[in-house]
Coordinates of all heavy atoms in Angstrom, one line a residue:
M28 N -9.5 -6.1 -2.6 CA -8.2 -5.5 -2.3 C -8.3 -4.0 -2.6 O -8.9 -3.5 -3.5 CB -7.1 -6.1 -3.1 CG -6.8 -7.5 -2.9 SD -5.9 -7.8 -1.4 CE -4.3 -7.5 -2.0
I29 N -7.6 -3.2 -1.7 CA -7.5 -1.8 -1.8 C -6.1 -1.4 -2.1 O -5.1 -1.9 -1.5 CB -7.9 -1.1 -0.5 CG1 -9.3 -1.6 -0.1 CG2 -7.9 0.4 -0.7 CD1 -10.5 -1.1 -0.9
K30 N -5.9 -0.5 -3.1 CA -4.6 0.0 -3.4 C -4.6 1.4 -2.9 O -5.4 2.3 -3.3 CB -4.3 0.0 -4.9 CG -3.0 0.6 -5.3 CD -2.8 0.5 -6.9 CE -1.6 1.2 -7.4 NZ -1.5 1.1 -8.8
T31 N -3.6 1.7 -2.0 CA -3.5 3.1 -1.4 C -2.2 3.7 -1.9 O -1.1 3.0 -1.7 CB -3.6 3.0 0.1 OG1 -4.8 2.4 0.5 CG2 -3.5 4.4 0.7
I32 N -2.2 4.9 -2.4 CA -1.0 5.5 -2.8 C -0.8 6.7 -1.9 O -1.6 7.6 -1.9 CB -1.0 6.0 -4.3 CG1 -1.3 4.7 -5.2 CG2 0.2 6.7 -4.7 CD1 -1.5 5.1 -6.6
L33 N 0.4 6.7 -1.3 CA 0.8 7.9 -0.4 C 1.8 8.7 -1.1 O 2.8 8.2 -1.6 CB 1.4 7.4 0.9 CG 0.6 6.3 1.7 CD1 1.4 5.9 2.9 CD2 -0.8 6.9 2.1
K34 N 1.7 10.0 -1.1 CA 2.7 10.9 -1.6 C 3.4 11.4 -0.3 O 2.8 11.9 0.7 CB 2.1 12.1 -2.3 CG 1.6 11.7 -3.7 CD 2.7 11.3 -4.6 CE 2.2 10.9 -6.0 NZ 3.3 10.5 -6.8
I35 N 4.7 11.1 -0.3 CA 5.5 11.4 0.9 C 6.8 12.1 0.5 O 7.5 11.8 -0.5 CB 5.9 10.0 1.6 CG1 4.7 9.3 2.0 CG2 6.9 10.3 2.7 CD1 5.0 7.9 2.5
E36 N 7.2 13.2 1.3 CA 8.4 13.9 1.0 C 9.4 13.5 2.1 O 9.1 13.2 3.2 CB 8.2 15.4 1.1 CG 7.4 15.9 -0.1 CD 7.2 17.4 -0.1 OE1 7.4 18.0 1.0 OE2 6.7 17.9 -1.1
G37 N 10.7 13.5 1.7 CA 11.8 13.2 2.6 C 12.5 11.9 2.5 O 13.6 11.8 3.0
M38 N 12.0 11.0 1.7 CA 12.7 9.7 1.4 C 13.8 10.1 0.4 O 13.5 10.7 -0.6 CB 11.8 8.6 0.9 CG 10.8 8.2 1.9 SD 9.8 6.7 1.3 CE 8.9 7.4 -0.1
M39 N 15.1 9.7 0.7 CA 16.2 10.0 -0.1 C 16.9 8.8 -0.8 O 17.6 9.0 -1.7 CB 17.2 10.8 0.7 CG 16.6 12.0 1.4 SD 16.0 13.3 0.2 CE 17.4 14.2 0.0
C40 N 16.7 7.6 -0.2 CA 17.5 6.5 -0.7 C 16.7 5.2 -0.4 O 15.6 5.2 0.1 CB 18.8 6.5 0.0 SG 18.7 6.3 1.8
A41 N 17.4 4.1 -0.8 CA 16.8 2.8 -0.6 C 16.6 2.5 0.9 O 15.6 1.8 1.3 CB 17.7 1.7 -1.2
H42 N 17.5 3.0 1.7 CA 17.3 2.8 3.2 C 16.0 3.5 3.7 O 15.3 2.9 4.5 CB 18.5 3.3 3.9 CG 18.4 3.2 5.4 ND1 18.5 2.0 6.1 CD2 18.1 4.2 6.4 CE1 18.3 2.2 7.4 NE2 18.1 3.5 7.6
C43 N 15.8 4.7 3.2 CA 14.5 5.4 3.5 C 13.3 4.6 3.1 O 12.3 4.5 3.8 CB 14.5 6.8 2.9 SG 15.8 7.9 3.4
E44 N 13.4 4.1 1.8 CA 12.3 3.3 1.3 C 12.0 2.1 2.2 O 10.8 1.8 2.6 CB 12.6 2.8 -0.1 CG 12.7 3.9 -1.1 CD 13.3 3.5 -2.4 OE1 13.8 2.3 -2.5 OE2 13.4 4.3 -3.3
A45 N 13.0 1.4 2.6 CA 12.9 0.2 3.5 C 12.3 0.6 4.8 O 11.5 -0.1 5.4 CB 14.2 -0.5 3.6
H46 N 12.8 1.7 5.4 CA 12.3 2.2 6.6 C 10.8 2.5 6.6 O 10.1 2.2 7.5 CB 13.1 3.5 7.0 CG 12.7 4.1 8.3 ND1 12.9 3.5 9.5 CD2 12.1 5.3 8.6 CE1 12.5 4.3 10.5 NE2 12.0 5.3 9.9
M47 N 10.4 3.2 5.5 CA 8.9 3.5 5.4 C 8.1 2.2 5.2 O 7.1 2.1 5.8 CB 8.8 4.4 4.1 CG 7.4 5.0 4.0 SD 7.0 6.2 5.3 CE 5.8 5.3 6.2
N48 N 8.6 1.2 4.4 CA 7.9 0.0 4.2 C 7.7 -0.7 5.6 O 6.6 -1.2 5.9 CB 8.7 -0.9 3.3 CG 8.7 -0.4 1.9 OD1 8.0 0.5 1.5 ND2 9.6 -1.0 1.1
E49 N 8.8 -0.8 6.4 CA 8.7 -1.5 7.7 C 7.8 -0.7 8.6 O 7.0 -1.4 9.4 CB 10.1 -1.6 8.3 CG 11.0 -2.6 7.7 CD 10.4 -4.0 7.6 OE1 9.8 -4.5 8.6 OE2 10.4 -4.6 6.5
A50 N 7.8 0.6 8.6 CA 6.8 1.3 9.5 C 5.4 1.0 9.1 O 4.6 0.8 10.0 CB 7.1 2.8 9.3
I51 N 5.1 0.9 7.8 CA 3.7 0.6 7.4 C 3.4 -0.8 7.8 O 2.3 -1.1 8.3 CB 3.6 0.8 5.9 CG1 3.7 2.2 5.5 CG2 2.2 0.2 5.4 CD1 2.7 3.2 5.9
K52 N 4.3 -1.8 7.6 CA 4.0 -3.2 7.9 C 3.8 -3.4 9.4 O 3.0 -4.3 9.8 CB 5.2 -4.1 7.4 CG 5.3 -4.2 5.9 CD 6.5 -5.0 5.5 CE 6.7 -5.1 4.0 NZ 7.9 -5.9 3.7
E53 N 4.5 -2.6 10.2 CA 4.3 -2.8 11.7 C 3.0 -2.3 12.2 O 2.5 -2.8 13.1 CB 5.4 -2.0 12.4 CG 6.8 -2.6 12.3 CD 7.9 -1.7 13.0 OE1 7.5 -0.7 13.7 OE2 9.0 -2.1 12.8
K54 N 2.4 -1.3 11.5 CA 1.2 -0.7 12.0 C -0.1 -1.1 11.3 O -1.2 -0.9 11.8 CB 1.3 0.8 11.9 CG 2.4 1.4 12.7 CD 2.3 1.3 14.1 CE 3.4 2.0 14.9 NZ 3.2 2.0 16.3
F55 N 0.0 -1.7 10.1 CA -1.2 -2.1 9.3 C -1.0 -3.5 8.8 O 0.0 -4.0 8.6 CB -1.3 -1.2 8.1 CG -1.5 0.3 8.5 CD1 -0.4 1.1 8.5 CD2 -2.8 0.7 8.8 CE1 -0.6 2.5 8.8 CE2 -3.0 2.1 9.1 CZ -1.9 2.9 9.1
D56 N -2.2 -4.2 8.6 CA -2.2 -5.5 8.0 C -2.3 -5.3 6.5 O -3.3 -5.0 6.0 CB -3.5 -6.2 8.5 CG -3.6 -7.6 8.0 OD1 -2.6 -8.2 7.6 OD2 -4.7 -8.2 8.0
V57 N -1.1 -5.4 5.9 CA -1.0 -5.2 4.5 C -0.5 -6.4 3.7 O 0.1 -7.3 4.3 CB 0.0 -4.0 4.1 CG1 -0.5 -2.7 4.8 CG2 1.4 -4.3 4.6
V58 N -0.9 -6.5 2.5 CA -0.5 -7.6 1.6 C 0.8 -7.3 1.0 O 1.7 -8.2 0.9 CB -1.6 -7.9 0.5 CG1 -1.1 -9.0 -0.4 CG2 -2.9 -8.3 1.2
K59 N 1.0 -6.0 0.6 CA 2.2 -5.6 -0.1 C 2.4 -4.1 0.1 O 1.5 -3.4 0.2 CB 2.0 -5.9 -1.6 CG 3.2 -5.5 -2.5 CD 2.9 -5.9 -3.9 CE 4.0 -5.5 -4.9 NZ 3.7 -5.9 -6.3
V60 N 3.7 -3.7 0.2 CA 4.0 -2.3 0.3 C 5.3 -2.0 -0.4 O 6.3 -2.8 -0.2 CB 4.1 -1.8 1.8 CG1 5.1 -2.6 2.6 CG2 4.3 -0.3 1.9
V61 N 5.3 -1.0 -1.2 CA 6.5 -0.7 -2.0 C 6.7 0.9 -2.0 O 5.8 1.6 -2.3 CB 6.4 -1.1 -3.5 CG1 7.7 -0.7 -4.3 CG2 6.3 -2.6 -3.5
S62 N 7.9 1.3 -1.6 CA 8.1 2.8 -1.5 C 9.2 3.1 -2.6 O 10.0 2.3 -2.9 CB 8.7 3.2 -0.1 OG 7.7 3.0 0.8
S63 N 9.0 4.4 -3.1 CA 10.0 4.9 -4.1 C 10.4 6.3 -3.7 O 9.6 7.2 -3.7 CB 9.3 4.9 -5.5 OG 10.1 5.6 -6.4
S64 N 11.7 6.4 -3.4 CA 12.2 7.8 -3.1 C 12.2 8.7 -4.3 O 12.0 9.9 -4.3 CB 13.6 7.7 -2.4 OG 14.5 7.0 -3.3
K65 N 12.4 8.0 -5.5 CA 12.4 8.8 -6.7 C 11.1 9.4 -7.0 O 11.0 10.5 -7.5 CB 12.8 7.8 -7.9 CG 12.9 8.5 -9.2 CD 13.3 7.5 -10.3 CE 12.5 7.7 -11.5 NZ 11.7 6.7 -12.0
D66 N 10.0 8.6 -6.8 CA 8.6 9.1 -7.1 C 8.0 9.7 -5.9 O 6.8 10.2 -6.0 CB 7.8 7.9 -7.6 CG 8.3 7.3 -8.9 OD1 8.8 8.0 -9.7 OD2 8.1 6.1 -9.1
N67 N 8.6 9.7 -4.7 CA 8.1 10.3 -3.5 C 6.8 9.7 -3.1 O 5.8 10.3 -2.8 CB 7.9 11.8 -3.6 CG 9.3 12.5 -3.7 OD1 10.2 12.2 -3.0 ND2 9.3 13.5 -4.6
E68 N 6.7 8.3 -3.2 CA 5.4 7.7 -2.9 C 5.6 6.3 -2.3 O 6.7 5.7 -2.5 CB 4.5 7.6 -4.1 CG 5.0 6.6 -5.2 CD 4.0 6.6 -6.4 OE1 3.2 7.5 -6.6 OE2 4.0 5.6 -7.1
T69 N 4.6 5.8 -1.6 CA 4.5 4.5 -1.1 C 3.2 3.9 -1.6 O 2.1 4.6 -1.4 CB 4.5 4.5 0.4 OG1 5.8 5.0 0.9 CG2 4.3 3.1 1.0
V70 N 3.2 2.7 -2.2 CA 2.0 2.1 -2.7 C 1.8 0.9 -1.8 O 2.6 0.0 -1.6 CB 2.2 1.6 -4.2 CG1 1.0 0.9 -4.7 CG2 2.5 2.8 -5.0
I71 N 0.5 0.8 -1.3 CA 0.2 -0.2 -0.3 C -1.0 -1.0 -0.9 O -2.0 -0.4 -1.4 CB -0.3 0.4 1.0 CG1 0.9 1.3 1.6 CG2 -0.6 -0.7 2.0 CD1 0.4 2.2 2.6
E72 N -1.0 -2.3 -0.8 CA -2.1 -3.2 -1.1 C -2.6 -3.8 0.2 O -1.8 -4.4 0.9 CB -1.8 -4.2 -2.1 CG -1.5 -3.7 -3.5 CD -1.2 -4.8 -4.6 OE1 -1.6 -5.9 -4.3 OE2 -0.7 -4.4 -5.6
S73 N -3.9 -3.7 0.5 CA -4.4 -4.2 1.7 C -5.8 -4.7 1.5 O -6.5 -4.4 0.5 CB -4.5 -3.1 2.8 OG -5.2 -2.0 2.4
K74 N -6.3 -5.6 2.4 CA -7.6 -6.1 2.2 C -8.7 -5.1 2.7 O -9.8 -5.1 2.2 CB -7.8 -7.4 3.1 CG -6.9 -8.5 2.5 CD -7.1 -9.8 3.4 CE -6.1 -10.9 2.8 NZ -6.1 -12.0 3.6
E75 N -8.3 -4.2 3.6 CA -9.2 -3.2 4.1 C -8.7 -1.8 3.8 O -7.5 -1.6 3.7 CB -9.4 -3.4 5.6 CG -9.9 -4.8 6.1 CD -11.3 -5.0 5.7 OE1 -12.1 -4.1 5.7 OE2 -11.6 -6.2 5.4
E76 N -9.6 -0.9 3.8 CA -9.2 0.5 3.6 C -8.4 1.0 4.9 O -8.7 0.6 6.0 CB -10.5 1.4 3.5 CG -10.2 2.8 3.0 CD -11.4 3.5 2.6 OE1 -12.4 2.9 2.3 OE2 -11.4 4.8 2.6
L77 N -7.4 1.8 4.6 CA -6.5 2.2 5.7 C -7.0 3.6 6.2 O -7.5 4.4 5.5 CB -5.1 2.4 5.2 CG -4.5 1.1 4.6 CD1 -3.1 1.4 4.1 CD2 -4.5 -0.1 5.6
D78 N -6.8 3.8 7.5 CA -7.3 5.0 8.2 C -6.3 6.1 7.9 O -5.1 6.0 8.2 CB -7.3 4.7 9.7 CG -7.7 6.0 10.5 OD1 -8.9 6.3 10.6 OD2 -6.8 6.7 11.0
A79 N -6.8 7.2 7.3 CA -5.9 8.3 6.9 C -5.2 9.0 8.0 O -4.0 9.3 7.9 CB -6.7 9.4 6.1
D80 N -5.8 9.2 9.1 CA -5.2 9.8 10.3 C -4.0 8.9 10.8 O -3.0 9.5 11.2 CB -6.2 10.1 11.4 CG -7.2 11.2 11.0 OD1 -6.8 12.1 10.2 OD2 -8.3 11.2 11.5
K81 N -4.3 7.6 10.9 CA -3.2 6.7 11.4 C -2.0 6.7 10.4 O -0.9 6.7 10.8 CB -3.8 5.3 11.6 CG -2.8 4.4 12.3 CD -3.4 3.1 12.7 CE -2.4 2.2 13.3 NZ -2.9 0.9 13.7
I82 N -2.3 6.7 9.1 CA -1.3 6.8 8.0 C -0.4 8.0 8.2 O 0.8 8.0 8.2 CB -1.9 6.8 6.6 CG1 -2.4 5.4 6.2 CG2 -0.9 7.3 5.6 CD1 -1.4 4.5 5.8
K83 N -1.1 9.2 8.4 CA -0.3 10.4 8.6 C 0.6 10.3 9.9 O 1.7 10.8 9.8 CB -1.3 11.6 8.8 CG -2.1 12.0 7.5 CD -3.1 13.0 7.8 CE -4.0 13.3 6.6 NZ -5.0 14.3 6.8
E84 N 0.1 9.7 10.9 CA 0.8 9.6 12.1 C 2.0 8.7 11.9 O 3.1 9.0 12.4 CB -0.1 9.0 13.2 CG 0.5 8.8 14.6 CD -0.5 8.1 15.5 OE1 -1.6 8.7 15.7 OE2 -0.2 7.1 16.0
V85 N 1.9 7.6 11.2 CA 3.0 6.6 11.0 C 4.0 7.3 10.1 O 5.2 7.1 10.4 CB 2.4 5.3 10.3 CG1 3.5 4.4 9.8 CG2 1.5 4.6 11.3
V86 N 3.6 8.0 9.1 CA 4.6 8.7 8.2 C 5.4 9.7 9.0 O 6.6 9.7 8.9 CB 3.9 9.4 7.0 CG1 4.8 10.3 6.2 CG2 3.3 8.3 6.1
A87 N 4.7 10.5 9.9 CA 5.4 11.5 10.7 C 6.4 10.8 11.7 O 7.5 11.2 11.9 CB 4.4 12.3 11.4
E88 N 5.9 9.7 12.3 CA 6.8 9.0 13.3 C 8.0 8.4 12.6 O 9.1 8.3 13.2 CB 6.0 7.8 13.9 CG 5.0 8.3 15.0 CD 4.1 7.1 15.5 OE1 4.3 6.0 15.1 OE2 3.3 7.4 16.4
A89 N 7.9 8.1 11.3 CA 9.0 7.5 10.5 C 10.0 8.6 10.1 O 11.1 8.4 9.7 CB 8.5 6.7 9.3
G90 N 9.6 9.9 10.3 CA 10.5 11.0 10.0 C 10.2 11.6 8.6 O 11.1 12.4 8.2
Y91 N 9.1 11.4 8.0 CA 8.9 11.9 6.6 C 7.6 12.8 6.7 O 6.9 12.8 7.7 CB 8.7 10.7 5.6 CG 9.9 9.8 5.7 CD1 9.8 8.5 6.2 CD2 11.1 10.2 5.3 CE1 10.8 7.7 6.3 CE2 12.2 9.4 5.3 CZ 12.1 8.1 5.8 OH 13.2 7.3 5.9
T92 N 7.4 13.5 5.6 CA 6.3 14.4 5.5 C 5.1 13.8 4.6 O 5.4 13.6 3.4 CB 6.7 15.8 4.9 OG1 7.8 16.3 5.7 CG2 5.6 16.8 4.9
F93 N 4.0 13.6 5.2 CA 2.8 13.2 4.5 C 2.3 14.4 3.6 O 2.2 15.5 4.1 CB 1.7 12.8 5.4 CG 0.4 12.4 4.8 CD1 0.1 11.1 4.4 CD2 -0.6 13.4 4.6 CE1 -1.1 10.8 3.8 CE2 -1.8 13.1 3.9 CZ -2.0 11.8 3.5
V94 N 2.1 14.1 2.3 CA 1.6 15.1 1.4 C 0.2 14.8 0.9 O -0.7 15.7 1.0 CB 2.5 15.2 0.1 CG1 2.0 16.2 -0.9 CG2 3.9 15.6 0.5
D95 N -0.1 13.6 0.5 CA -1.4 13.3 0.0 C -1.7 11.8 0.0 O -0.7 11.0 0.2 CB -1.5 13.7 -1.5 CG -3.0 13.8 -2.0 OD1 -3.9 13.8 -1.2 OD2 -3.1 13.9 -3.2
M96 N -2.9 11.4 -0.1 CA -3.3 9.9 -0.1 C -4.5 9.7 -1.0 O -5.4 10.5 -1.1 CB -3.7 9.6 1.3 CG -4.2 8.2 1.5 SD -4.5 7.9 3.3 CE -5.5 6.5 3.3
A97 N -4.4 8.6 -1.8 CA -5.5 8.2 -2.7 C -5.7 6.7 -2.6 O -4.7 6.0 -2.5 CB -5.2 8.7 -4.1
A98 N -6.9 6.3 -2.7 CA -7.2 4.8 -2.6 C -8.1 4.4 -3.7 O -9.0 5.2 -4.1 CB -7.7 4.5 -1.2
E99 N -7.9 3.2 -4.2 CA -8.8 2.6 -5.2 C -9.0 1.2 -5.0 O -8.2 0.5 -4.4 CB -8.3 2.9 -6.6 CG -7.0 2.2 -6.9 CD -6.4 2.5 -8.3 OE1 -6.2 3.7 -8.5 OE2 -6.2 1.6 -9.0
Q100 N -10.2 0.7 -5.4 CA -10.5 -0.8 -5.3 C -9.8 -1.5 -6.5 O -9.9 -1.0 -7.6 CB -12.0 -1.0 -5.4 CG -12.5 -2.4 -5.3 CD -12.5 -2.8 -3.8 OE1 -12.8 -2.1 -3.0 NE2 -12.1 -4.1 -3.6
L101 N -9.1 -2.5 -6.1 CA -8.4 -3.3 -7.2 C -9.3 -4.4 -7.7 O -10.1 -5.0 -6.9 CB -7.1 -4.0 -6.6 CG -6.0 -3.1 -6.3 CD1 -4.8 -3.9 -5.7 CD2 -5.5 -2.3 -7.5
E102 N -9.2 -4.7 -8.9 CA -10.0 -5.8 -9.5 C -9.5 -7.2 -8.9 O -8.4 -7.3 -8.6 CB -9.9 -5.9 -11.0 CG -10.6 -4.7 -11.7 CD -10.6 -4.9 -13.2 OE1 -10.6 -6.0 -13.7 OE2 -10.6 -3.8 -13.8
D103 N -10.4 -8.1 -8.9 CA -10.1 -9.4 -8.4 C -9.0 -10.0 -9.3 O -9.2 -10.0 -10.6 CB -11.3 -10.3 -8.4 CG -11.1 -11.7 -7.8 OD1 -10.0 -11.9 -7.3 OD2 -12.0 -12.5 -7.9
K104 N -7.9 -10.5 -8.8 CA -6.8 -11.0 -9.6 C -6.9 -12.5 -9.8 O -5.9 -13.2 -10.1 CB -5.5 -10.7 -8.9 CG -5.2 -9.2 -8.9 CD -3.8 -9.0 -8.3 CE -3.4 -7.5 -8.3 NZ -2.1 -7.3 -7.8
M105 N -8.1 -13.1 -9.6 CA -8.3 -14.5 -9.8 C -8.0 -14.8 -11.3 O -8.4 -14.1 -12.2 CB -9.7 -14.8 -9.5 CG -10.0 -16.3 -9.4 SD -11.7 -16.7 -9.0 CE -12.1 -15.7 -7.6
S106 N -7.3 -15.9 -11.5 CA -6.9 -16.3 -12.9 C -8.2 -16.8 -13.6 O -9.2 -17.1 -13.1 CB -5.9 -17.4 -12.9 OG -6.5 -18.6 -12.5
F107 N -8.0 -16.8 -14.9 CA -9.1 -17.2 -15.8 C -9.6 -18.6 -15.4 O -10.7 -18.9 -15.3 CB -8.6 -17.2 -17.3 CG -9.6 -17.8 -18.2 CD1 -10.7 -17.2 -18.6 CD2 -9.4 -19.1 -18.7 CE1 -11.6 -17.7 -19.5 CE2 -10.3 -19.7 -19.6 CZ -11.4 -19.0 -20.0
F108 N -8.6 -19.5 -15.2 CA -8.9 -20.9 -14.8 C -9.6 -21.0 -13.5 O -10.5 -21.9 -13.3 CB -7.7 -21.8 -14.9 CG -7.1 -21.9 -16.3 CD1 -6.0 -21.3 -16.7 CD2 -7.8 -22.6 -17.3 CE1 -5.5 -21.3 -18.0 CE2 -7.4 -22.7 -18.6 CZ -6.2 -22.0 -18.9
Q109 N -9.2 -20.2 -12.5 CA -9.9 -20.2 -11.2 C -11.3 -19.8 -11.3 O -12.2 -20.3 -10.7 CB -9.1 -19.3 -10.2 CG -7.8 -19.8 -9.8 CD -7.0 -18.8 -9.0 OE1 -7.0 -17.6 -9.3 NE2 -6.3 -19.2 -7.9
K110 N -11.6 -18.8 -12.2 CA -12.9 -18.3 -12.4 C -13.8 -19.4 -13.0 O -14.9 -19.6 -12.6 CB -12.9 -17.1 -13.3 CG -12.4 -15.8 -12.6 CD -12.4 -14.7 -13.6 CE -11.7 -13.5 -12.9 NZ -11.6 -12.3 -13.8
I111 N -13.3 -20.1 -14.0 CA -14.0 -21.2 -14.6 C -14.3 -22.3 -13.6 O -15.4 -22.8 -13.5 CB -13.2 -21.8 -15.8 CG1 -13.0 -20.8 -16.9 CG2 -13.8 -23.1 -16.4 CD1 -14.3 -20.4 -17.6
K112 N -13.3 -22.7 -12.8 CA -13.4 -23.7 -11.8 C -14.5 -23.3 -10.8 O -15.4 -24.2 -10.4 CB -12.1 -23.9 -11.1 CG -12.2 -25.0 -10.0 CD -10.8 -25.2 -9.3 CE -10.9 -26.2 -8.2 NZ -9.7 -26.3 -7.4
N113 N -14.5 -22.1 -10.4 CA -15.6 -21.6 -9.4 C -17.0 -21.7 -10.0 O -17.9 -22.0 -9.4 CB -15.3 -20.2 -9.0 CG -14.1 -20.1 -8.0 OD1 -13.6 -21.1 -7.5 ND2 -13.6 -18.9 -7.8
K114 N -17.1 -21.4 -11.3 CA -18.4 -21.4 -12.0 C -18.9 -22.9 -12.1 O -20.1 -23.1 -12.0 CB -18.3 -20.8 -13.4 CG -18.3 -19.3 -13.3 CD -18.3 -18.7 -14.7 CE -18.3 -17.2 -14.7 NZ -18.4 -16.6 -16.0
L115 N -18.0 -23.8 -12.3 CA -18.3 -25.2 -12.4 C -18.6 -25.9 -11.1 O -19.3 -26.9 -11.0 CB -17.2 -26.0 -13.1 CG -17.0 -25.5 -14.6 CD1 -15.7 -26.3 -15.1 CD2 -18.2 -25.8 -15.5
S116 N -18.2 -25.3 -10.0 CA -18.4 -25.9 -8.7 C -19.8 -25.7 -8.2 O -20.5 -24.8 -8.5 CB -17.4 -25.2 -7.7 OG -16.1 -25.5 -8.0

């Protein structure tokens, strides 16, 4: 899983957050997306790395200003018991 953090200017309220979340969900195959107008960011979890140029385009189309983007690999969230079961299989 990849965690992508977008810094975005222009979101002012919960409606803006929902609007940004929907714009991302429409254009990308994501597992989870959460926006915060207070923090000026959108955090996306996806199976694949997201294209930076397409992200910039989606943010602009939604009416906001793209500032920055950072991505990191998330650790496997498999539970302890799932890991044990896999080792025994």
